[in-house]
PDB file of all heavy atoms in Angstrom:
ATOM      1  N   THR A 161      -8.674  12.070 -14.528  1.00 96.00           N
ATOM      2  CA  THR A 161      -8.199  13.235 -13.761  1.00 96.00           C
ATOM      3  C   THR A 161      -6.726  13.135 -13.339  1.00 96.00           C
ATOM      4  O   THR A 161      -6.224  14.040 -12.684  1.00 96.00           O
ATOM      5  CB  THR A 161      -9.042  13.399 -12.479  1.00 96.00           C
ATOM      6  OG1 THR A 161      -8.971  12.164 -11.744  1.00 96.00           O
ATOM      7  CG2 THR A 161     -10.497  13.711 -12.791  1.00 96.00           C
ATOM      8  N   GLY A 162      -6.059  12.036 -13.712  1.00 96.00           N
ATOM      9  CA  GLY A 162      -4.698  11.799 -13.194  1.00 96.00           C
ATOM     10  C   GLY A 162      -3.610  12.531 -13.970  1.00 96.00           C
ATOM     11  O   GLY A 162      -2.621  11.927 -14.414  1.00 96.00           O
ATOM     12  N   PHE A 163      -3.776  13.831 -14.112  1.00 96.00           N
ATOM     13  CA  PHE A 163      -2.845  14.593 -14.970  1.00 96.00           C
ATOM     14  C   PHE A 163      -1.402  14.533 -14.491  1.00 96.00           C
ATOM     15  O   PHE A 163      -0.475  14.479 -15.281  1.00 96.00           O
ATOM     16  CB  PHE A 163      -3.323  16.046 -15.098  1.00 96.00           C
ATOM     17  CG  PHE A 163      -4.723  16.133 -15.625  1.00 96.00           C
ATOM     18  CD1 PHE A 163      -5.765  16.576 -14.813  1.00 96.00           C
ATOM     19  CD2 PHE A 163      -5.021  15.719 -16.919  1.00 96.00           C
ATOM     20  CE1 PHE A 163      -7.065  16.619 -15.296  1.00 96.00           C
ATOM     21  CE2 PHE A 163      -6.317  15.760 -17.407  1.00 96.00           C
ATOM     22  CZ  PHE A 163      -7.341  16.205 -16.584  1.00 96.00           C
ATOM     23  N   ARG A 164      -1.203  14.543 -13.181  1.00 96.00           N
ATOM     24  CA  ARG A 164       0.175  14.487 -12.671  1.00 96.00           C
ATOM     25  C   ARG A 164       0.801  13.119 -12.969  1.00 96.00           C
ATOM     26  O   ARG A 164       1.997  13.013 -13.212  1.00 96.00           O
ATOM     27  CB  ARG A 164       0.223  14.765 -11.170  1.00 96.00           C
ATOM     28  CG  ARG A 164      -0.191  16.178 -10.805  1.00 96.00           C
ATOM     29  CD  ARG A 164       0.088  16.455  -9.344  1.00 96.00           C
ATOM     30  NE  ARG A 164       1.493  16.673  -9.099  1.00 96.00           N
ATOM     31  CZ  ARG A 164       2.102  17.852  -9.210  1.00 96.00           C
ATOM     32  NH1 ARG A 164       1.405  18.921  -9.550  1.00 96.00           N
ATOM     33  NH2 ARG A 164       3.387  17.971  -8.964  1.00 96.00           N
ATOM     34  N   ASN A 165      -0.022  12.079 -12.947  1.00 97.00           N
ATOM     35  CA  ASN A 165       0.518  10.757 -13.273  1.00 97.00           C
ATOM     36  C   ASN A 165       0.882  10.663 -14.760  1.00 97.00           C
ATOM     37  O   ASN A 165       1.882  10.044 -15.119  1.00 97.00           O
ATOM     38  CB  ASN A 165      -0.472   9.663 -12.876  1.00 97.00           C
ATOM     39  CG  ASN A 165      -0.540   9.500 -11.363  1.00 97.00           C
ATOM     40  OD1 ASN A 165       0.483   9.593 -10.678  1.00 97.00           O
ATOM     41  ND2 ASN A 165      -1.727   9.287 -10.823  1.00 97.00           N
ATOM     42  N   TYR A 166       0.054  11.304 -15.614  1.00 98.00           N
ATOM     43  CA  TYR A 166       0.423  11.360 -17.036  1.00 98.00           C
ATOM     44  C   TYR A 166       1.737  12.127 -17.209  1.00 98.00           C
ATOM     45  O   TYR A 166       2.605  11.749 -17.983  1.00 98.00           O
ATOM     46  CB  TYR A 166      -0.689  12.008 -17.866  1.00 98.00           C
ATOM     47  CG  TYR A 166      -1.820  11.051 -18.154  1.00 98.00           C
ATOM     48  CD1 TYR A 166      -2.974  11.051 -17.385  1.00 98.00           C
ATOM     49  CD2 TYR A 166      -1.714  10.101 -19.170  1.00 98.00           C
ATOM     50  CE1 TYR A 166      -4.005  10.147 -17.622  1.00 98.00           C
ATOM     51  CE2 TYR A 166      -2.730   9.190 -19.421  1.00 98.00           C
ATOM     52  CZ  TYR A 166      -3.878   9.219 -18.643  1.00 98.00           C
ATOM     53  OH  TYR A 166      -4.872   8.316 -18.872  1.00 98.00           O
ATOM     54  N   ALA A 167       1.860  13.226 -16.439  1.00 97.00           N
ATOM     55  CA  ALA A 167       3.093  14.024 -16.521  1.00 97.00           C
ATOM     56  C   ALA A 167       4.298  13.184 -16.083  1.00 97.00           C
ATOM     57  O   ALA A 167       5.342  13.176 -16.745  1.00 97.00           O
ATOM     58  CB  ALA A 167       2.955  15.269 -15.652  1.00 97.00           C
ATOM     59  N   ALA A 168       4.148  12.459 -14.982  1.00 97.00           N
ATOM     60  CA  ALA A 168       5.254  11.619 -14.477  1.00 97.00           C
ATOM     61  C   ALA A 168       5.630  10.562 -15.508  1.00 97.00           C
ATOM     62  O   ALA A 168       6.817  10.352 -15.809  1.00 97.00           O
ATOM     63  CB  ALA A 168       4.857  10.962 -13.156  1.00 97.00           C
ATOM     64  N   ALA A 169       4.619   9.903 -16.077  1.00 98.00           N
ATOM     65  CA  ALA A 169       4.899   8.830 -17.040  1.00 98.00           C
ATOM     66  C   ALA A 169       5.581   9.391 -18.286  1.00 98.00           C
ATOM     67  O   ALA A 169       6.515   8.787 -18.827  1.00 98.00           O
ATOM     68  CB  ALA A 169       3.601   8.106 -17.403  1.00 98.00           C
ATOM     69  N   ASN A 170       5.138  10.569 -18.728  1.00 98.00           N
ATOM     70  CA  ASN A 170       5.778  11.183 -19.903  1.00 98.00           C
ATOM     71  C   ASN A 170       7.224  11.573 -19.620  1.00 98.00           C
ATOM     72  O   ASN A 170       8.098  11.414 -20.469  1.00 98.00           O
ATOM     73  CB  ASN A 170       4.968  12.392 -20.379  1.00 98.00           C
ATOM     74  CG  ASN A 170       3.798  11.948 -21.251  1.00 98.00           C
ATOM     75  OD1 ASN A 170       3.988  11.401 -22.335  1.00 98.00           O
ATOM     76  ND2 ASN A 170       2.593  12.136 -20.756  1.00 98.00           N
ATOM     77  N   LEU A 171       7.446  12.058 -18.413  1.00 97.00           N
ATOM     78  CA  LEU A 171       8.820  12.421 -18.030  1.00 97.00           C
ATOM     79  C   LEU A 171       9.706  11.162 -17.987  1.00 97.00           C
ATOM     80  O   LEU A 171      10.844  11.161 -18.475  1.00 97.00           O
ATOM     81  CB  LEU A 171       8.763  13.094 -16.650  1.00 97.00           C
ATOM     82  CG  LEU A 171       9.841  14.098 -16.262  1.00 97.00           C
ATOM     83  CD1 LEU A 171      10.076  15.125 -17.358  1.00 97.00           C
ATOM     84  CD2 LEU A 171       9.410  14.826 -14.973  1.00 97.00           C
ATOM     85  N   LEU A 172       9.170  10.093 -17.438  1.00 98.00           N
ATOM     86  CA  LEU A 172       9.916   8.820 -17.403  1.00 98.00           C
ATOM     87  C   LEU A 172      10.242   8.368 -18.826  1.00 98.00           C
ATOM     88  O   LEU A 172      11.351   7.906 -19.116  1.00 98.00           O
ATOM     89  CB  LEU A 172       9.105   7.742 -16.684  1.00 98.00           C
ATOM     90  CG  LEU A 172       8.944   7.912 -15.172  1.00 98.00           C
ATOM     91  CD1 LEU A 172       7.821   7.021 -14.634  1.00 98.00           C
ATOM     92  CD2 LEU A 172      10.261   7.582 -14.445  1.00 98.00           C
ATOM     93  N   LYS A 173       9.257   8.508 -19.696  1.00 98.00           N
ATOM     94  CA  LYS A 173       9.441   8.101 -21.100  1.00 98.00           C
ATOM     95  C   LYS A 173      10.537   8.955 -21.741  1.00 98.00           C
ATOM     96  O   LYS A 173      11.407   8.448 -22.458  1.00 98.00           O
ATOM     97  CB  LYS A 173       8.102   8.269 -21.831  1.00 98.00           C
ATOM     98  CG  LYS A 173       8.056   7.688 -23.206  1.00 98.00           C
ATOM     99  CD  LYS A 173       7.684   6.206 -23.163  1.00 98.00           C
ATOM    100  CE  LYS A 173       7.746   5.583 -24.539  1.00 98.00           C
ATOM    101  NZ  LYS A 173       7.882   4.116 -24.459  1.00 98.00           N
ATOM    102  N   ALA A 174      10.506  10.267 -21.464  1.00 98.00           N
ATOM    103  CA  ALA A 174      11.510  11.175 -22.036  1.00 98.00           C
ATOM    104  C   ALA A 174      12.915  10.807 -21.573  1.00 98.00           C
ATOM    105  O   ALA A 174      13.884  10.997 -22.294  1.00 98.00           O
ATOM    106  CB  ALA A 174      11.175  12.617 -21.657  1.00 98.00           C
ATOM    107  N   PHE A 175      13.009  10.287 -20.349  1.00 98.00           N
ATOM    108  CA  PHE A 175      14.317   9.878 -19.819  1.00 98.00           C
ATOM    109  C   PHE A 175      14.630   8.414 -20.144  1.00 98.00           C
ATOM    110  O   PHE A 175      15.548   7.829 -19.576  1.00 98.00           O
ATOM    111  CB  PHE A 175      14.364  10.093 -18.300  1.00 98.00           C
ATOM    112  CG  PHE A 175      14.658  11.513 -17.906  1.00 98.00           C
ATOM    113  CD1 PHE A 175      13.675  12.289 -17.303  1.00 98.00           C
ATOM    114  CD2 PHE A 175      15.911  12.068 -18.125  1.00 98.00           C
ATOM    115  CE1 PHE A 175      13.948  13.602 -16.922  1.00 98.00           C
ATOM    116  CE2 PHE A 175      16.183  13.374 -17.748  1.00 98.00           C
ATOM    117  CZ  PHE A 175      15.204  14.140 -17.148  1.00 98.00           C
ATOM    118  N   ASP A 176      13.811   7.803 -21.002  1.00 98.00           N
ATOM    119  CA  ASP A 176      14.061   6.435 -21.422  1.00 98.00           C
ATOM    120  C   ASP A 176      13.916   5.420 -20.274  1.00 98.00           C
ATOM    121  O   ASP A 176      14.600   4.400 -20.267  1.00 98.00           O
ATOM    122  CB  ASP A 176      15.488   6.347 -22.004  1.00 98.00           C
ATOM    123  CG  ASP A 176      15.507   5.434 -23.213  1.00 98.00           C
ATOM    124  OD1 ASP A 176      14.406   5.078 -23.676  1.00 98.00           O
ATOM    125  OD2 ASP A 176      16.609   5.070 -23.659  1.00 98.00           O
ATOM    126  N   ASN A 177      13.070   5.757 -19.305  1.00 98.00           N
ATOM    127  CA  ASN A 177      12.864   4.823 -18.190  1.00 98.00           C
ATOM    128  C   ASN A 177      11.455   4.227 -18.217  1.00 98.00           C
ATOM    129  O   ASN A 177      10.897   3.867 -17.187  1.00 98.00           O
ATOM    130  CB  ASN A 177      13.131   5.540 -16.853  1.00 98.00           C
ATOM    131  CG  ASN A 177      13.393   4.540 -15.722  1.00 98.00           C
ATOM    132  OD1 ASN A 177      13.430   3.328 -15.948  1.00 98.00           O
ATOM    133  ND2 ASN A 177      13.544   5.044 -14.511  1.00 98.00           N
ATOM    134  N   LEU A 178      10.876   4.153 -19.426  1.00 98.00           N
ATOM    135  CA  LEU A 178       9.575   3.502 -19.611  1.00 98.00           C
ATOM    136  C   LEU A 178       9.641   2.764 -20.942  1.00 98.00           C
ATOM    137  O   LEU A 178       9.895   3.394 -21.970  1.00 98.00           O
ATOM    138  CB  LEU A 178       8.473   4.573 -19.643  1.00 98.00           C
ATOM    139  CG  LEU A 178       7.102   4.222 -19.071  1.00 98.00           C
ATOM    140  CD1 LEU A 178       7.171   3.946 -17.587  1.00 98.00           C
ATOM    141  CD2 LEU A 178       6.119   5.345 -19.335  1.00 98.00           C
ATOM    142  N   GLU A 179       9.422   1.437 -20.910  1.00 98.00           N
ATOM    143  CA  GLU A 179       9.549   0.670 -22.157  1.00 98.00           C
ATOM    144  C   GLU A 179       8.275   0.715 -22.994  1.00 98.00           C
ATOM    145  O   GLU A 179       8.318   0.625 -24.204  1.00 98.00           O
ATOM    146  CB  GLU A 179       9.836  -0.813 -21.817  1.00 98.00           C
ATOM    147  CG  GLU A 179      11.239  -1.052 -21.298  1.00 98.00           C
ATOM    148  CD  GLU A 179      11.461  -2.496 -20.849  1.00 98.00           C
ATOM    149  OE1 GLU A 179      10.503  -3.316 -20.866  1.00 98.00           O
ATOM    150  OE2 GLU A 179      12.608  -2.800 -20.465  1.00 98.00           O
ATOM    151  N   ASN A 180       7.133   0.811 -22.305  1.00 98.00           N
ATOM    152  CA  ASN A 180       5.846   0.675 -22.994  1.00 98.00           C
ATOM    153  C   ASN A 180       5.180   2.026 -23.205  1.00 98.00           C
ATOM    154  O   ASN A 180       5.665   3.047 -22.725  1.00 98.00           O
ATOM    155  CB  ASN A 180       4.942  -0.249 -22.180  1.00 98.00           C
ATOM    156  CG  ASN A 180       5.571  -1.621 -22.026  1.00 98.00           C
ATOM    157  OD1 ASN A 180       5.552  -2.427 -22.938  1.00 98.00           O
ATOM    158  ND2 ASN A 180       6.176  -1.871 -20.866  1.00 98.00           N
ATOM    159  N   HIS A 181       4.029   1.997 -23.918  1.00 98.00           N
ATOM    160  CA  HIS A 181       3.279   3.240 -24.137  1.00 98.00           C
ATOM    161  C   HIS A 181       2.744   3.760 -22.807  1.00 98.00           C
ATOM    162  O   HIS A 181       2.264   2.990 -21.973  1.00 98.00           O
ATOM    163  CB  HIS A 181       2.105   3.002 -25.093  1.00 98.00           C
ATOM    164  CG  HIS A 181       2.543   2.671 -26.477  1.00 98.00           C
ATOM    165  ND1 HIS A 181       3.292   3.549 -27.234  1.00 98.00           N
ATOM    166  CD2 HIS A 181       2.349   1.572 -27.240  1.00 98.00           C
ATOM    167  CE1 HIS A 181       3.543   2.985 -28.408  1.00 98.00           C
ATOM    168  NE2 HIS A 181       2.987   1.791 -28.428  1.00 98.00           N
ATOM    169  N   VAL A 182       2.809   5.078 -22.663  1.00 98.00           N
ATOM    170  CA  VAL A 182       2.317   5.740 -21.445  1.00 98.00           C
ATOM    171  C   VAL A 182       0.891   5.263 -21.099  1.00 98.00           C
ATOM    172  O   VAL A 182       0.607   4.915 -19.949  1.00 98.00           O
ATOM    173  CB  VAL A 182       2.361   7.286 -21.645  1.00 98.00           C
ATOM    174  CG1 VAL A 182       1.520   8.007 -20.621  1.00 98.00           C
ATOM    175  CG2 VAL A 182       3.815   7.769 -21.610  1.00 98.00           C
TER     176      VAL A 182
END
Side-chain angles (χ1 to χ4, degrees):
T161 56
F163 304 112
R164 294 189 76 87
N165 288 322
Y166 281 98
N170 278 295
L171 207 48
L172 290 164
K173 190 86 185 159
F175 279 111
D176 219 11
N177 199 3
L178 213 64
E179 287 175 356
N180 300 283
H181 293 299
V182 164

